[in-house]
Amino acid sequence: MSVEIGKQAPDFTLPSQDGKEVSLSDFKGKHVVLYFYPKDMTPGCTTEACDFRDAQESFSELDAVIIGVSPDPVEQHQKFIDKHDLPFLLLADEDHKVAEDYDVWKLKKNFGKENYGIERSTFIIDKEGNLQQEYRKVKVEGHVEKALEFIRENK
């Protein structure tokens, strides 16, 4: 499966921080900001999550929901949400199947070691479930504003 702008975004079902199953298709009729991030509680991921948190109201006004996905387990997501007052869903993709479907599970080099992990990426999905925009190899600073602006201009 692959993702392509203008095509249907791959549907999936994953557990959220409270253990409930959530599917992408549950959000038909809303814009979805689906963001993949490497790991809860790390500096870049915390900054990104808090930036999305701080813009939550602006996204809501545009009829958009924010959904974060990482390989962390449900319990870790709940701790991350509690610590930073995150008002959106975090989904546990522990077997990284959804990350693979969205082609964000990549071989990464870190301090001379190679490991597979999430390449920070965001996908904007329209109200019909089609992929409108993708941001890959995301740099955290200014990213949330770019995503918000894209939805404003394309709602």
Side-chain angles (χ1 to χ4, degrees):
M1 190 177 292
S2 66
V3 292
E4 192 178 322
I5 290 179
K7 303 272 183 181
Q8 193 75 24
D11 197 14
F12 59 81
T13 301
L14 290 172
S16 67
Q17 69 273 4
D18 58 9
K20 291 187 179 137
E21 296 286 308
V22 174
S23 297
L24 179 61
S25 55
D26 296 342
F27 299 96
K28 280 237 165 106
K30 291 190 173 289
H31 295 284
V32 176
V33 179
L34 180 66
Y35 84 98
F36 290 85
Y37 65 99
K39 190 162 180 49
D40 291 339
M41 306 290 189
T42 57
C45 296
T46 299
T47 298
E48 183 178 30
C50 290
D51 287 352
F52 273 120
R53 174 199 65 203
D54 295 347
Q56 167 73 29
E57 195 173 313
S58 297
F59 280 104
S60 289
E61 288 168 1
L62 296 170
D63 210 17
V65 296
I66 300 164
I67 302 171
V69 179
S70 85
D72 293 301
V74 167
E75 303 77 29
Q76 186 66 25
H77 281 335
Q78 190 59 61
K79 288 178 188 169
F80 193 38
I81 284 171
D82 291 344
K83 183 170 184 177
H84 298 287
D85 293 321
L86 303 178
F88 47 82
L89 292 169
L90 296 180
L91 305 183
D93 186 22
E94 291 188 73
D95 65 2
H96 48 80
K97 181 180 176 338
V98 176
E100 289 177 34
D101 286 348
Y102 280 78
D103 196 30
V104 299
W105 188 251
K106 303 285 188 181
L107 185 61
K108 299 161 74 174
K109 286 185 181 178
N110 197 11
F111 301 111
K113 293 184 178 170
E114 290 186 335
N115 293 312
Y116 276 91
I118 298 280
E119 178 180 86
R120 190 182 310 279
S121 303
T122 299
F123 300 88
I124 298 178
I125 299 161
D126 69 16
K127 293 180 177 191
E128 287 76 48
N130 297 312
L131 180 63
Q132 275 195 306
Q133 178 65 287
E134 62 181 16
Y135 301 95
R136 295 182 179 271
K137 297 182 183 178
V138 165
K139 301 286 181 242
V140 172
E141 191 175 323
H143 171 62
V144 169
E145 188 54 46
K146 273 188 214 165
L148 187 58
E149 196 56 40
F150 179 84
I151 294 173
R152 267 193 199 115
E153 292 172 2
N154 294 280
K155 59 181 180 164

